[in-house]
Amino acid sequence: MAVLLVTSAGGQSGEGPSPRATDNQKAPDSTTDSGTTSTLDSTTTDSTTDSATDSTPTSSVTTESTSLGRERAAGSATARDAANATAKAPQAENGSFPATDTVTASAGGRDGGGGGGPASFPGQPRQEWRRRVYFREEFEDGDGWKKRWVQSKHWSSYGKFQLTAGRFYGDKEKDKGLQTSEDAKFYALSARFKPFSNEGQSLVVQFSVKHEQGIDCGGGYVKLFPEDLDQENMHSNSTYYIMFGPDICGMGNNKVHVILNYKGKNHEINKTIKCRINKDTHLYTLILRPDCTYGVKIDNQLVAVGALEDDWDFLPPKKIKDPYARKPRKWDERPQIEDPDDKKPEDWEDFEKIPDPNAKKPNDWDAAMDGEWEPPLIPNLKYKGEWKPRIIDNPDYKGEWVHPEIDNPKYKADPNIYRYYNISVLGLDIWQVKSGSIFDNFLLTNDEEFAEKVGNQTWGIRKDPERIWREAYEAEEKRQQQEETKKKMEAKEEEEDEKKYKVEEEEDDEEDEDANQPELEKDKEPTEEENRDVGGNGTTGAEIPSFVPLDTVCVRETVMSGSSL
C-alpha cells in the first residue's frame, strides 16, 4: 500500500534545478487515489509494525513526536548550519518565490541516527523533532499501483512493468513488486507525492531490488525529480535531483550510482561502491544529512560514509598549488649518487673482445687492394664487465620537493550542498538487456532509524526464506538441466548407434554379395546342349568366321554328327 506524505513545515530557498513551487503545494489529483492511499497515524510509535503503520488514514501531513530518550542534540551541527537552517529562505537561484517562515531545525551528524533529533543552539529554544514519511510504496493493494504510477509516453517502445513476487519469495503477496518484463528495453515509470524539502533534516532514500533473472547488463536504480517534471514525458535526459542504486554491466563493471545534482549539474561520487550481483533481493539506502555528510547502506550495513564536499566535485578545491612557487635549482631529490672519489682500477679490463695477438698478416696481403689489415677479434679472457663507480647516499639529498599550496580564492564553502526543494517524484528510468528485476519497498523519510526498522520488517523478513527457496529452485533447475543433458546425450548415442548399425548392415550386405559372386558365375557356365553348338575352338556355329574354308566346315559338321569320313 502506498503512502504519500509531506512535511508540515518547509521554507523554500537555495539552490536546485528550477524549484517552482513551495513545499506546501498539493500534488495533482490525477496522481493520487484516495481509495487506495493512506498515511501514517500521527501517534505511531517506534514499535509499530508495517501493517499497523499503514492502517490508520489521517491527513496528508505525517509527523511523529519522538520520546525524550530519542531526542538528540545536534553535536555535529555548526553555528553556520543553525543560521542557515533557521533563517528565512532566500530566493532560489533558478526561480523566485516569496520567502516563508523559518523551518524546524534538526541535525544528523556523521554517526547519524533517527534524523538527528532537534537542534539546540544558544539563544534558540529547543524544538521538538518529528518523524516524516514522504513516500512509501509496498504494493499491497493489487492493481491499485496502476493509479499511482505513471508510464512515460516519451517513447512508444518503453518496456512494461508487471506486479509479481517472481519465481522465489518469502511471501507471495507481500513480496510483490514491479518487475521489468521485456528484454532489451528502456523503462520509464514514476510516482508523484506532495513536494517537500529536506532543508535542516536528513533525507533517507530506500528501496529493494531483486535481479532474479541473473542480470548481465542493466540498471536497478531510482531517481528523485523536482515537482515540475512532466511524468508522461519523463526520459533519460529529464532533470533530476538524485540518482541512486545499482548498475551492472558485465561481471567486472558493477557499482552503486550516487549522483547528486548541484546547481544544475550532475555529480557522480568519486568512490567506487560495489553492488550485489546475485539473484537475491537487496536493500539499498542513501542518507543525506544536514551537516553535509552522507551514508550508503546495502542490506542495512554501511558500505560508504564521508563528507559530501570530499567525495563529490561540487566545489573547487580548498587548496591549490602556488602558481608563483618554483623548485630551487640546487634542490637535490636524488637519495643516492655515484661516489665521485671511486676510481676504476688500472688493470680493469672492460673490453669484451680484443685483437688476436697471435694473428699474422698474410704475405700476399695487398694494402692497396685489400685495405689496412686488422687482426681478428677474440674473447678477452680478462674481461670483467663494464666498470661503474659504487653508489653512496647523497649527502645533499633534501627529499622530494613538494609544491607549496595556498588557499584557493575560488573556493567558497556551501553548507547547503545536501539540500533540495520541491522533491515530488520518484521514478524508474532504466535500461535492461535481460528483464526480470523486481523493485519494491520504496521509502522516503527523514528518520534513519525508522528506515532501518522498515528494512528489517520487509527485506529482513523475506531474505532467508527467499534465499532458501532460491537455492531449492536453482537445485531443481540444475537437476532438470542435468536430466535434459542426459536425455540429449542418450538420444545422441542412440543416433550414433543407429548410424553405426546401418553401416555394419551395409558392409554385411556387401560381403554377402561378394560371397555369392562365384555361384553366380558358375550359374553362367554353358550347359551340355549349349556345348553341342560350340565348336572345338569354343565358338558356336553362328560364330564361324566367313573366311573358314567350306571343306573345313563340312568336316566339322561330319564329326559333330558322328559320321565317318
Side-chain angles (χ1 to χ4, degrees), residues 493-508:
E493 289 177 357
E494 290 179 1
E495 185 179 352
E496 291 178 353
D497 291 342
E498 187 175 349
K499 289 181 179 179
K500 185 177 179 181
Y501 174 77
K502 288 182 178 180
V503 171
E504 292 177 352
E505 193 175 33
E506 290 175 356
E507 291 177 351
D508 292 341

Side-chain angles (χ1 to χ4, degrees), residues 327 331-335 396-402:
K327 182 173 71 172
W331 189 279
D332 199 334
E333 294 181 321
R334 299 173 299 167
D396 297 326
Y397 175 65
K398 294 183 179 180
E400 184 179 356
W401 186 74
V402 179

Side-chain angles (χ1 to χ4, degrees), residues 359-427:
K360 303 296 183 181
K361 183 173 71 171
N363 294 329
D364 59 349
W365 187 273
D366 187 349
M369 296 294 293
D370 302 327
E372 183 180 357
W373 180 83
E374 293 181 356
L377 298 177
I378 61 173
N380 184 2
L381 300 179
K382 297 180 180 181
Y383 174 67
K384 296 181 179 181
E386 183 183 358
W387 182 86
K388 293 181 180 180
R390 63 174 175 268
I391 303 299
I392 61 172
D393 292 335
N394 184 3
D396 297 326
Y397 175 65
K398 294 183 179 180
E400 184 179 356
W401 186 74
V402 179
H403 201 124
E405 292 185 338
I406 60 173
D407 292 335
N408 185 359
K410 296 182 179 180
Y411 170 79
K412 183 179 180 182
D414 185 355
N416 297 315
I417 296 176
Y418 76 98
R419 183 182 62 189
Y420 295 100
Y421 292 100
N422 300 311
I423 304 172
S424 189
V425 177
L426 183 144

Side-chain angles (χ1 to χ4, degrees), residues 296-487:
V296 175
K297 291 182 178 181
I298 300 179
D299 298 341
N300 267 341
Q301 298 294 321
L302 274 173
V303 295
V305 293
L308 297 177
E309 186 175 328
D310 294 340
D311 294 340
W312 280 265
D313 296 328
F314 296 128
L315 305 175
K318 293 180 181 180
K319 297 285 187 177
I320 60 172
K321 293 180 179 180
D322 186 352
Y324 300 105
R326 297 287 185 274
K327 182 173 71 172
R329 292 182 179 179
K330 294 184 179 181
W331 189 279
D332 199 334
E333 294 181 321
R334 299 173 299 167
Q336 292 182 321
I337 60 173
E338 295 179 350
D339 186 355
D341 298 328
D342 191 16
K343 305 297 181 182
K344 183 173 74 171
E346 294 181 358
D347 60 346
W348 187 276
E349 292 284 346
D350 53 6
F351 294 101
E352 187 174 358
K353 292 187 177 184
I354 58 174
D356 185 357
N358 299 321
K360 303 296 183 181
K361 183 173 71 171
N363 294 329
D364 59 349
W365 187 273
D366 187 349
M369 296 294 293
D370 302 327
E372 183 180 357
W373 180 83
E374 293 181 356
L377 298 177
I378 61 173
N380 184 2
L381 300 179
K382 297 180 180 181
Y383 174 67
K384 296 181 179 181
E386 183 183 358
W387 182 86
K388 293 181 180 180
R390 63 174 175 268
I391 303 299
I392 61 172
D393 292 335
N394 184 3
D396 297 326
Y397 175 65
K398 294 183 179 180
E400 184 179 356
W401 186 74
V402 179
H403 201 124
E405 292 185 338
I406 60 173
D407 292 335
N408 185 359
K410 296 182 179 180
Y411 170 79
K412 183 179 180 182
D414 185 355
N416 297 315
I417 296 176
Y418 76 98
R419 183 182 62 189
Y420 295 100
Y421 292 100
N422 300 311
I423 304 172
S424 189
V425 177
L426 183 144
L428 296 170
D429 176 26
I430 58 176
W431 156 265
Q432 288 196 343
V433 174
K434 189 176 181 181
S435 64
S437 300
I438 300 177
F439 297 84
D440 195 7
N441 303 311
F442 297 97
L443 176 66
L444 299 178
T445 181
N446 66 342
D447 191 333
E448 297 179 37
E449 291 180 359
F450 177 71
E452 183 172 338
K453 183 178 296 184
V454 170
N456 289 331
Q457 292 173 348
T458 53
W459 163 83
I461 292 176
R462 79 164 64 171
K463 65 183 179 70
D464 290 334
E466 179 185 88
R467 177 183 53 79
I468 294 172
W469 192 341
R470 190 257 304 164
E471 291 174 351
Y473 182 93
E474 289 179 344
E476 176 64 19
E477 196 175 46
K478 184 178 180 180
R479 185 188 65 81
Q480 292 178 359
Q481 289 177 352
Q482 290 176 344
E483 288 183 355
E484 290 178 1
T485 302
K486 184 178 179 181
K487 289 179 180 179

Side-chain angles (χ1 to χ4, degrees), residues 44 62 111 158 161 233 265 299 379 459 493 497 502 542 547:
T44 303
T62 296
D111 296 330
Y158 281 132
F161 284 92
N233 193 39
K265 182 179 179 181
D299 298 341
W459 163 83
E493 289 177 357
D497 291 342
K502 288 182 178 180
F547 58 83

